[in-house]
Amino acid sequence: MKTKQFRLLFFLCILPFLACNDDEQLAQKPTIDKVELGLGNNEIGVINQDFHFNAEITAGEKIKDVKIKIDQINTETYSKVWSHQIIWEQYAGAKNAVVHKHFNIPANAVEGKYNFIIIVTDTNGTQLEEKRTLNIYAPENLPIDLKFEFGIEAVDSDFKHIRTLYSQRNIYDNESYKSEENIQENEFLSPIVNIASIKGEGKMYCLIINKKHNHKPETIASIDFSKSIVADYWEHKNLSKSEFGSNMYNFTTTPLTILSPAIKIGATSDKNFPTPNPVQNLKKWESGQYYVGFVYHNTTYNMTLFHYGEITVQMK
C-alpha cells in the first residue's frame, strides 16, 4: 500500500515538469527568410565602410530580440583575435519584422572569412540561429574599391548649367551640398555620376522617384519601374584594368565623347534603355518631394553602389 501511495505521489510531483517539457517541445520557433549580407547580397564587408543586412523574421509567438554575431572560424588564420556583436531590441513584441540595417564594419576589424550568425530569440523561450559566410576586406585589398561623386543639376535644353540642386562627393574628399531651390516643369534635370574605380562589366540606372512611394532601391534587381522614372542608363564592358567611369564621358572613343545625361521635367517618356517607359500612373509628374539617385552594379565582381538625394519638383 505504501509503495502504491509513493508511486502516486511521485507521479503527481513530476507531472508539472512533464507538462513544461511538452510545452517547450510544442513551442514554435521563429523563422528567418530573405537574408541579405552586403550590398547586392555579395557577402562582402569592408572595414570602416557601410554594410547592408536584411532579414525577414516571423516569430513563433513574439520577437524578444534579434542579434547578429561576426565570429572568426577555427580553421581560418587571422592577424589578431576579433569579433563583433549587435543586439536590436526595437523589434520586441512584434510577430513579424523586416530587419533592414546599415552599419559600419568597425575600424578595428580584421580581414578574413567569418561566420555571420543571426540569432532570433522568441518570447516563448525558443531561439533560432542561422549561419552565413562573410568575407571582410580592407578597402585597399578589394577587387574594386567603389567610390563616387554624384550631382543633381538643373540645365537648359543645350545642357548648359543653370544651378546645382544637390551634390555628394567621396572620391577625393567628403563634401555634400543641398539647395533649397525647386526644379521647375520644362527645366531639365541632369544626374551626374562619377565612379572610381570600375573594372570588368557593370551597369547603372539613375532614378527619379516620388517620395510618397517610399521606394529607394539599393540594387538593380529591386527597382520597381512602375514607380521609378529612369533619368539615365549607363554601362561598361570588358574593362581589363581599374578605370574612372562617368555617365558624362565615353572614354572608349578617341577623343573621348562628352555625353549629356538629362531628362525634361514633365517628359512623357523616360530614358530607360533600350526602350523608354511612359511616365504615367504611379510615376506621373507631380509637385512635391522626389528622391533622385543612382544604383550601380558590377556584374563581374558582384558589387553594388547606390546613393540618393532629395529635390523638390514644381509643376505649373
Side-chain angles (χ1 to χ4, degrees):
M1 185 69 177
K2 289 183 179 180
T3 302
K4 289 182 180 179
Q5 288 177 339
F6 175 77
R7 287 176 180 175
L8 178 60
L9 181 62
F10 177 75
F11 177 75
L12 293 173
C13 288
I14 67 169
L15 185 59
F17 297 100
L18 292 174
C20 182
N21 289 336
D22 287 342
D23 289 344
E24 288 180 355
Q25 291 174 357
L26 292 172
Q28 187 175 352
K29 284 189 174 184
T31 62
I32 301 175
D33 192 21
K34 296 183 180 179
V35 175
E36 297 176 3
L37 301 185
L39 295 175
N41 197 24
N42 60 7
E43 298 186 340
I44 290 176
V46 184
I47 295 173
N48 206 30
Q49 290 188 16
D50 178 70
F51 179 78
H52 161 86
F53 168 67
N54 187 88
E56 295 187 7
I57 295 170
T58 300
E61 184 175 303
K62 290 182 179 180
I63 298 170
K64 181 179 179 182
D65 60 46
V66 180
K67 179 192 301 183
I68 61 105
K69 294 172 64 178
I70 304 175
D71 286 343
Q72 293 178 335
I73 301 171
N74 293 335
T75 55
E76 296 290 321
T77 302
Y78 308 88
S79 62
K80 64 178 181 180
V81 175
W82 179 83
S83 63
H84 189 59
Q85 175 177 292
I86 302 175
I87 300 176
W88 294 298
E89 297 180 341
Q90 64 264 44
Y91 304 104
K95 175 68 176 179
N96 303 287
V98 177
V99 183
H100 183 180
K101 294 292 184 179
H102 284 264
F103 57 88
N104 266 26
I105 299 295
N108 66 341
V110 179
E111 284 191 297
K113 182 184 291 186
Y114 287 80
N115 285 324
F116 189 100
I117 306 169
I118 309 159
I119 305 169
V120 182
T121 303
D122 203 297
T123 56
N124 65 16
T126 63
Q127 190 176 80
L128 177 66
E129 291 191 10
E130 183 158 322
K131 187 184 295 184
R132 299 293 178 92
T133 299
L134 177 66
N135 294 284
I136 294 181
Y137 290 90
E140 61 271 19
N141 293 328
L142 279 168
I144 50 173
D145 184 15
L146 298 176
K147 297 180 180 180
F148 72 91
E149 293 180 343
F150 178 56
I152 306 170
E153 309 280 338
V155 299
D156 65 16
S157 58
D158 295 321
F159 201 67
K160 291 181 181 178
H161 173 82
I162 298 176
R163 61 189 176 278
T164 299
L165 301 173
Y166 178 88
S167 67
Q168 178 65 54
R169 301 177 180 178
N170 74 358
I171 294 179
Y172 302 109
D173 53 31
N174 287 294
E175 184 177 290
S176 60
Y177 169 79
K178 185 182 186 303
S179 171
E180 297 303 319
E181 294 186 75
N182 300 341
I183 187 166
Q184 306 289 326
E185 184 176 2
N186 295 326
E187 289 187 316
F188 288 79
L189 182 147
S190 175
I192 301 171
V193 184
N194 300 320
I195 301 178
S197 55
I198 59 173
K199 189 178 179 182
E201 298 190 358
K203 61 179 64 175
M204 178 192 70
Y205 286 89
C206 292
L207 306 170
I208 305 173
I209 305 171
N210 196 316
K211 193 174 178 180
K212 72 179 183 181
H213 296 313
N214 193 30
H215 180 55
K216 292 171 69 176
E218 299 179 1
T219 63
I220 289 176
S222 64
I223 297 172
D224 184 344
F225 288 98
S226 72
K227 301 174 181 177
S228 307
I229 300 169
V230 178
D232 192 33
Y233 173 87
W234 171 78
E235 64 180 320
H236 61 87
K237 295 183 177 181
N238 302 319
L239 297 180
S240 58
K241 61 180 181 179
S242 296
E243 297 182 10
F244 183 87
S246 174
N247 69 332
M248 271 196 68
Y249 305 101
N250 184 350
F251 294 103
T252 64
T253 62
T254 305
L256 63 83
T257 305
I258 299 177
L259 307 173
S260 302
I263 185 171
K264 186 178 182 179
I265 301 298
T268 57
S269 297
D270 69 8
K271 296 297 185 76
N272 189 52
F273 178 85
T275 305
N277 296 317
V279 181
Q280 60 186 15
N281 299 327
L282 291 177
K283 55 186 180 183
K284 65 181 180 180
W285 296 103
E286 297 177 351
S287 295
Q289 299 290 311
Y290 280 77
Y291 297 125
V292 180
F294 72 91
V295 183
Y296 166 81
H297 181 68
N298 190 291
T299 53
T300 303
Y301 297 98
N302 192 24
M303 297 187 70
T304 293
L305 185 68
F306 72 93
H307 184 80
Y308 289 91
E310 294 185 20
I311 65 166
T312 301
V313 170
Q314 183 61 54
M315 303 299 288
K316 295 179 181 178

